[in-house]
Amino acid sequence: MAAVCKKIVENVIVAKNRELTTNQYNQRDCCSAAAPYNHRNFLSFHGGKKLLPKYHCCFVSRRNIYCNAAPSTTAVPYLEKVDFMKLQNGSDIRGVAVDGVEGEPVTLTEPVTEAIAAAFSAWLLEMKRADASKPLRVSVGHDSRISAQVLQDAVSQGIAVAGLDVVQYGLASTPAMFNSTLTEDEAFLCPVDGAIMITASHLPYNRNGFKFFTNAGGLGKADIKIILERAADIYKSFTDQGLMKSKQKASESIKRVDYMTVYTSDLVKAVRKAAENIEKPLEGFHIVVDAGNGAGGFFAEKVLQPLGAITSGSQFLEPDGMFPNHIPNPEDKTAMKAITQAVLENKADLGIIFDTDVDRSAAVDSIGREFNRNRLIALMSAIVLEEHPGTTIVTDSVTSDGLTTFIEKKLGGKHHRFKRGYKNVIDEAVRLNSVGEESHLAIETSGHGALRENHWLDDGAYLMVKVLNKLASARASGIAGGSKVLTDLVEGLQEPGVAVELRLKIDQNHPDLKGGSFREYGEAVLQLLENHIESDPKLQKAPVNYEGVRASGFDGWFLLRLSLHDPVLPLNIEAASHEDAVKLGLAVSSAVKEFHALDTSALDKFIQT
């Protein structure tokens, strides 16, 4: 591995201020103080819409100041210092890619991006132990964010100078990127050996990041840590001479294909198969799609329409990285209100909504009832348990007690409540299967849902295909009623009258921490709460729990856990009434009141209402 990294460090070099690749600069005038930023491609990507002035300026202010300098093979001394490890977000990499938000300096620059791509290439070369006579291939795609094309170019150069072939997909979904490692179709240069998706899910316009895949699935936390450590070493070795090499390498190795055609075709085939190979099994169904101006607009035209569905009234299908209409997030109340209104106004049978990169989704039935969070899990559990009776459904830690009762008593399955984090949930389902406990569904309340039959990929589009399969198969069996067949599947699910999540922040500068970490302090809070529960006869500690402290009582339950990454203790409370929810809140409040570094203002406000 050391030899691989050394070769990449020698080849992967960039200059600090190169924020645009060769085809985005006027090379003849790049040394002129008046050289303009060529944003023609950028405007084309966003339908000619005017971008924020601050976004334009952030690139102008970073013009290459070494235009007249002789090429150098020594490390470039003027690169900003970067703490690469702070870019890790679980199994993803995320950072600030665009200036314009006060207090959020850019951390995901082009040089940083190239270093990360080169480090992934080194990791991939080691994993695949490639034959030097046949270069590995890496696919690169992005969602609708305004920094997408700039970062795509930087990623491509980082891969290319490591000696790997680059296949650019342009606008794509995260699930499609993983699928490109499995598809066998040389006409589309598949399968690729690795894939990189440029996305930051539902985060604001100024953020971006990366997800990585091989045919074994998405990379885990340990892999991301290794990649960032290597990226930091590569970054330190950047030279001016490497800039010329990387440009040439990239121009020689980049290819472009329309892989989304392959991906959407497979989704269409899956629905037709479920409907006994009827060409248009959704004919007559009116289904509206809300893509939130992310990458999911394809679903209406490329999936639903070929299946015969009417899609008039679909909204926000065009990509726009400023997300002008609502946050593309199935958990967001404004987003769910938007798709609900679209269903009701268009008298549609079903509404479907995606997040930015289409790895999460939710739905709305014909009368405006939402299938998200616990209701989406209940719906998918009902569908999967019809196909695999008795199977285990793995969820995250904040699912309701009513959902457990529904899965186990109504559906005859087993509910295995695990930790927050979609990768945690998926990995746990894989582990259960490996030890002989059958599981076919891993799903989080956020809308991440993965099925064993789909290679354990959290694919929002495939999740909706399973829902469409139910509609299509019901139609093929002569069952009418539109989306009522879906609503009937979740009949009997006990839903709380009140459900809240309150965030209790830890002040890391408070004297109570005494130089210790917020994690140690948070664990102390949880331990005291656990002791409090054991001494309170009105509360019952959850017999099986993998995260935080969970207890039932007062016709409800609460869960206090420590955030995976931040100095925060999220508190989830669900109860039949507000009065019961307040009682649960009071129980937590009385237990943690001595922890003065813990900001309980959100809990205090809830109790006082």
Side-chain angles (χ1 to χ4, degrees):
M1 187 61 222
V4 173
C5 282
K6 182 175 185 296
K7 179 176 179 59
I8 290 178
V9 167
E10 290 172 351
N11 292 336
V12 183
I13 319 293
V14 294
K16 169 195 179 200
N17 296 314
R18 182 174 49 82
E19 291 294 343
L20 300 168
T21 52
T22 307
N23 68 335
Q24 291 173 305
Y25 252 116
N26 183 331
Q27 296 298 315
R28 293 172 299 176
D29 299 325
C30 72
C31 297
S32 166
Y37 163 52
N38 181 353
H39 58 280
R40 180 175 57 233
N41 293 338
F42 211 74
L43 289 175
S44 175
F45 177 69
H46 291 281
K49 294 182 179 180
K50 187 176 180 181
L51 302 174
L52 288 183
K54 288 186 178 179
Y55 182 71
H56 184 174
C57 293
C58 79
F59 287 105
V60 173
S61 66
R62 294 180 186 176
R63 186 168 291 112
N64 194 327
I65 61 174
Y66 281 83
C67 294
N68 297 319
S72 170
T73 57
T74 60
V76 181
Y78 47 74
L79 288 173
E80 295 100 335
K81 290 184 179 180
V82 177
D83 186 346
F84 276 77
M85 305 317 296
K86 287 186 177 180
L87 296 174
Q88 181 165 7
N89 187 288
S91 55
D92 300 343
I93 290 174
R94 289 180 180 174
V96 177
V98 178
D99 269 329
V101 177
E102 187 176 353
E104 296 188 10
V106 173
T107 56
L108 211 57
T109 62
E110 231 185 318
V112 167
T113 296
E114 288 200 25
I116 291 170
F120 172 68
S121 300
W123 179 91
L124 190 63
L125 284 165
E126 181 186 47
M127 294 297 106
K128 297 291 184 178
R129 305 187 187 284
D131 180 351
S133 65
K134 185 180 180 182
L136 298 182
R137 287 190 293 216
V138 178
S139 58
V140 182
H142 59 75
D143 64 19
S144 61
R145 293 177 178 278
I146 59 177
S147 55
Q149 288 188 321
V150 170
L151 295 188
Q152 177 181 246
D153 291 336
V155 165
S156 299
Q157 282 194 213
I159 297 168
V161 294
L164 283 64
D165 288 341
V166 182
V167 186
Q168 290 185 352
Y169 290 169
L171 188 69
S173 70
T174 290
M177 299 310 297
F178 169 66
N179 271 280
S180 68
T181 69
L182 303 174
T183 299
E184 294 186 6
D185 190 335
E186 191 58 35
F188 288 87
L189 305 178
C190 288
V192 295
D193 300 285
I196 300 177
M197 177 65 179
I198 304 170
T199 182
S201 188
H202 62 281
L203 293 181
Y205 77 92
N206 65 321
R207 309 292 184 88
N208 218 326
F210 312 106
K211 295 182 179 182
F212 304 88
F213 301 94
T214 68
N215 59 4
L219 272 60
K221 294 178 184 178
D223 300 318
I224 299 301
K225 183 174 183 291
I226 290 170
I227 287 171
L228 286 172
E229 288 171 346
R230 292 175 179 172
D233 290 337
I234 293 170
Y235 184 80
K236 293 174 185 175
S237 304
F238 281 168
T239 69
D240 286 332
Q241 189 177 44
L243 171 59
M244 293 181 289
K245 289 183 178 179
S246 63
K247 287 179 180 178
Q248 182 179 357
K249 279 277 190 180
S251 64
E252 293 172 353
S253 65
I254 292 177
K255 297 179 177 63
R256 296 175 178 84
V257 299
D258 179 17
Y259 178 76
M260 289 301 291
T261 299
V262 178
Y263 172 71
T264 54
S265 176
D266 287 343
L267 295 179
V268 170
K269 289 175 183 176
V271 180
R272 286 175 176 159
K273 181 179 179 181
E276 302 176 0
N277 297 316
I278 298 173
E279 180 72 12
K280 294 187 176 183
L282 298 180
E283 191 164 18
F285 280 111
H286 189 172
I287 303 173
V288 297
V289 176
D290 185 327
N293 302 112
F298 69 86
F299 200 81
E301 180 183 355
K302 302 295 185 181
V303 178
L304 293 176
Q305 290 178 18
L307 292 169
I310 301 164
T311 61
S312 58
S314 293
Q315 58 192 15
F316 318 140
L317 304 183
E318 62 285 348
D320 186 336
M322 295 306 297
F323 311 124
N325 294 292
H326 62 69
I327 298 170
N329 180 3
E331 282 191 291
D332 182 69
K333 292 182 180 179
T334 302
M336 290 306 297
K337 182 178 180 181
I339 182 61
T340 299
Q341 286 181 335
V343 168
L344 297 176
E345 289 173 3
N346 290 279
K347 298 181 180 179
D349 296 298
L350 187 70
I352 293 174
I353 185 169
F354 296 110
D355 76 337
T356 319
D357 59 325
V358 202
D359 60 1
R360 294 189 295 140
S361 58
V364 175
D365 72 9
S366 58
I367 61 172
R369 296 184 67 182
E370 299 174 356
F371 291 108
N372 68 341
R373 299 184 64 79
N374 284 291
R375 283 177 58 81
L376 178 63
I377 297 174
L379 175 62
M380 292 307 304
S381 297
I383 292 172
V384 169
L385 279 161
E386 279 187 353
E387 300 170 351
H388 306 282
T391 196
T392 295
I393 308 298
V394 182
T395 74
D396 59 345
S397 60
V398 299
T399 48
S400 70
D401 288 346
L403 179 66
T404 302
T405 301
F406 180 76
I407 290 173
E408 298 188 349
K409 304 298 183 182
K410 173 78 182 292
L411 302 179
K414 180 180 178 182
H415 183 196
H416 183 86
R417 188 186 287 118
F418 197 57
K419 300 177 182 178
R420 281 284 270 179
Y422 71 92
K423 196 70 169 63
N424 288 331
V425 173
I426 293 171
D427 288 348
E428 180 67 0
V430 172
R431 185 193 70 79
L432 290 178
N433 281 286
S434 71
V435 298
E437 183 174 343
E438 181 188 277
S439 177
H440 286 270
L441 174 64
I443 185 166
E444 198 183 27
T445 49
S446 65
H448 284 284
L451 292 127
R452 183 176 176 177
E453 68 187 54
N454 194 37
H455 311 283
W456 289 119
L457 173 66
D458 53 316
D459 184 342
Y462 192 83
L463 216 62
M464 289 300 104
V465 160
K466 293 293 287 185
V467 172
L468 296 177
N469 286 350
K470 191 63 185 174
L471 291 177
S473 61
R475 167 73 64 81
S477 302
I479 300 173
S483 62
K484 186 177 184 297
V485 66
L486 305 177
T487 307
D488 289 347
L489 286 175
V490 299
E491 185 179 353
L493 173 66
Q494 300 169 8
E495 300 186 71
V498 176
V500 296
E501 180 172 289
L502 309 170
R503 296 174 66 81
L504 314 184
K505 298 179 181 179
I506 299 173
D507 180 359
Q508 298 183 81
N509 298 317
H510 197 282
D512 277 9
L513 267 67
K514 299 176 182 177
S517 70
F518 77 82
R519 187 159 295 279
E520 292 172 343
Y521 193 82
E523 293 293 349
V525 173
L526 294 175
Q527 184 60 60
L528 189 66
L529 177 59
E530 187 169 1
N531 295 340
H532 178 82
I533 292 169
E534 291 174 351
S535 64
D536 188 339
K538 295 180 181 179
L539 297 174
Q540 296 81 45
K541 180 182 171 183
V544 179
N545 188 51
Y546 294 92
E547 183 175 38
V549 177
R550 184 177 180 121
S552 299
F554 302 109
D555 207 9
W557 60 271
F558 70 75
L559 171 70
L560 185 68
R561 60 187 174 84
L562 187 57
S563 171
L564 297 174
H565 313 293
D566 303 317
V568 174
L569 287 161
L571 172 63
N572 290 86
I573 300 175
E574 288 191 4
S577 68
H578 184 78
E579 182 181 0
D580 287 330
V582 168
K583 290 176 181 177
L584 291 166
L586 283 167
V588 175
S589 178
S590 62
V592 305
K593 62 184 178 182
E594 299 303 323
F595 288 88
H596 302 296
L598 189 65
D599 179 6
T600 61
S601 57
L603 176 57
D604 296 338
K605 182 178 179 181
F606 175 72
I607 291 171
Q608 292 165 8
T609 56

